[in-house]
Amino acid sequence: MLIELIDKYYQDKRKDRAQEHFYISDAGKCPRAIYFSMKGYPKKEKEPRILRIFDRGDIIHQRLMANFWSIPEIRVVASEIDIPSKELFHGRADVIISVNDKLYVVDMKSSSDFKFQKLTEPEKPHQYQVQLYMHYFKIEQGILLYENKNTQALKEFELKYDADLCKKIINDFKTLKYQIENEILPPKPQNLEAWECEYCDFKEECDKIDKKDAILQMKL
């Protein structure tokens, strides 16, 4: 009985509607998947178990935030703060801290043990997200803090603001905005790994389009 009620709670919580804005967390994602999300295409169903795993990330975030507030050497300048400009992106930074009079934008991520052990540098999408936060808050330093969900081990990576990279990310999203407004489906990126497509919420829709394109090419 309880399991059914808990599962229903998570399924009801995930009731989806079309995405209305670009979010900073979209940086580094497949542009075609963002297009599908903005256009309200149907998403693949997710098991309640997977949704509970996502929830666990929020709990880790809350615990780490409590640490920041308690450590004397860390001054929390702002937490859960919206980016100043919403012209292109919406987004909320986890926390801005000061250590030794130096400002940092900090983004916290949770990771499976398998991924955590292989982590020698931050994942590209996470780097892009922190770069955008640094850009909009005009802060030169950022930190990505990862926690292993299985062991609570931590890894941190310091990043310096990269103006050229931010300019490229912003320009790419301006192009995507034009494509969405004009019903132009973005091409699938060539550098996507197989697992990224396999776990994509829009794999079924994307496969349908690729199949249609392949049939048209055969007819030409």
Side-chain angles (χ1 to χ4, degrees), residues 18-78:
Q19 182 178 333
E20 296 178 351
H21 316 282
F22 291 139
Y23 295 98
I24 283 187
S25 57
D26 289 328
K29 288 183 180 177
C30 170
R32 186 178 279 193
I34 299 168
Y35 177 95
F36 288 142
S37 183
M38 296 283 280
K39 290 295 185 182
Y41 279 63
K43 287 184 178 180
K44 181 170 65 178
E45 285 289 327
K46 272 192 169 60
E47 299 174 50
R49 180 185 67 84
I50 301 298
L51 300 175
R52 287 195 290 275
I53 290 171
F54 293 161
D55 232 11
R56 190 174 171 189
D58 293 336
I59 294 165
I60 289 170
H61 173 278
Q62 290 164 14
R63 178 164 43 73
L64 289 171
M65 272 303 307
N67 294 162
F68 293 151
W69 285 105
S70 304
I71 297 168
E73 293 82 2
I74 296 173
R75 180 168 68 88
V76 175
V77 177

Side-chain angles (χ1 to χ4, degrees), residues 86-147:
K86 292 186 174 63
E87 187 179 342
L88 185 61
F89 292 101
H90 285 226
R92 183 177 293 172
D94 285 346
V95 62
I96 296 172
I97 62 170
S98 175
V99 180
N100 297 324
D101 295 321
K102 209 171 182 180
L103 286 176
Y104 296 86
V105 178
V106 181
D107 205 27
M108 291 169 272
K109 304 293 183 185
S110 54
S111 172
S112 67
D113 184 63
F114 175 75
K115 287 178 76 174
F116 187 88
Q117 297 302 334
K118 293 170 65 178
L119 208 57
T120 56
E121 63 177 8
E123 294 181 32
K124 277 284 190 298
H126 300 163
Q127 290 187 46
Y128 294 170
Q129 290 160 29
V130 172
Q131 286 291 342
L132 287 175
Y133 284 130
M134 287 191 277
H135 175 80
Y136 285 110
F137 286 110
K138 296 181 170 37
I139 293 174
E140 296 290 321
Q141 295 83 218
I143 297 174
L144 267 162
L145 183 64
Y146 289 87
E147 179 171 308

Side-chain angles (χ1 to χ4, degrees), residues 159-203:
L159 300 173
K160 297 290 184 189
Y161 174 59
D162 186 333
D164 290 337
L165 176 58
C166 287
K167 184 178 179 182
K168 181 184 184 308
I169 296 168
I170 289 167
N171 284 338
D172 286 347
F173 272 87
K174 285 179 178 176
T175 299
L176 180 56
K177 183 174 185 286
Y178 175 84
Q179 291 170 324
I180 290 166
E181 289 172 348
N182 291 277
E183 309 283 337
I184 301 167
L185 182 70
K188 190 188 293 184
Q190 295 299 310
N191 59 350
L192 280 180
E193 296 186 35
W195 67 266
E196 293 180 86
C197 289
E198 192 59 37
Y199 288 100
C200 177
D201 285 340
F202 300 101
K203 183 181 186 306

